[in-house]
Amino acid sequence: MATISTVAALSGIGLSVRVYLRRRIHSKDPLEKAGQVHDLISKKYYMDTLYEDVIVRQGFFKILAGVVDWFDRNLVDGLVDLIGWVFRNIGKVISKFQSGQVQAYATGVAFGVLAIILALLLA
């Protein structure tokens, strides 16, 4: 078994040396005589093109990346915009109560303490 594989490997090496030494002498590639078979083999049976066009471009970019992009644009950005809108409007409402007068703040605190005491007494 080892002899057969060694002979096959050495004959492949010998054939490639012969082909490419001949290539150095002639400017033309000797494998071009093989025509379409040479194109098929040199382009790796078009597997790279198939993988790039079908799996990567159509499968990954159009389907998976498209779904993730839609999710990001509609759900994530929408949620962030909603949270920003809520707190912006809460800030507008709270700003009405901020007058800068300490007496008004003290009155609010006093009424708050009284409300807590009343709630505890009634409960």
Side-chain angles (χ1 to χ4, degrees):
M1 191 64 112
T3 306
I4 294 171
S5 63
T6 303
V7 168
L10 290 176
S11 62
I13 291 171
L15 181 62
S16 65
V17 166
R18 182 174 175 198
V19 166
Y20 287 102
L21 284 179
R22 193 181 213 188
R23 180 181 188 185
R24 197 185 302 166
I25 295 169
H26 304 307
S27 62
K28 208 167 150 184
D29 188 3
L31 294 177
E32 287 180 1
K33 292 179 184 176
Q36 293 178 347
V37 174
H38 176 257
D39 287 341
L40 184 68
I41 293 171
S42 68
K43 297 200 184 200
K44 298 176 218 147
Y45 300 101
Y46 295 96
M47 290 308 265
D48 292 340
T49 306
L50 177 71
Y51 175 77
E52 181 74 25
D53 290 342
V54 174
I55 295 173
V56 173
R57 286 197 180 121
Q58 292 177 4
F60 180 75
F61 286 138
K62 284 188 180 176
I63 296 171
L64 181 63
V67 168
V68 171
D69 181 52
W70 179 88
F71 181 81
D72 180 51
R73 286 184 195 210
N74 294 308
L75 297 179
V76 174
D77 290 349
L79 181 64
V80 169
D81 290 343
L82 177 67
I83 290 171
W85 179 84
V86 166
F87 284 104
R88 187 170 49 248
N89 289 324
I90 287 174
K92 286 179 184 177
V93 171
I94 291 174
S95 70
K96 306 269 189 227
F97 296 110
Q98 294 180 342
S99 63
Q101 294 181 353
V102 177
Q103 297 90 351
Y105 297 154
T107 304
V109 169
F111 279 125
V113 169
L114 287 175
I116 291 172
I117 291 171
L118 184 63
L120 288 174
L121 288 176
L122 292 176

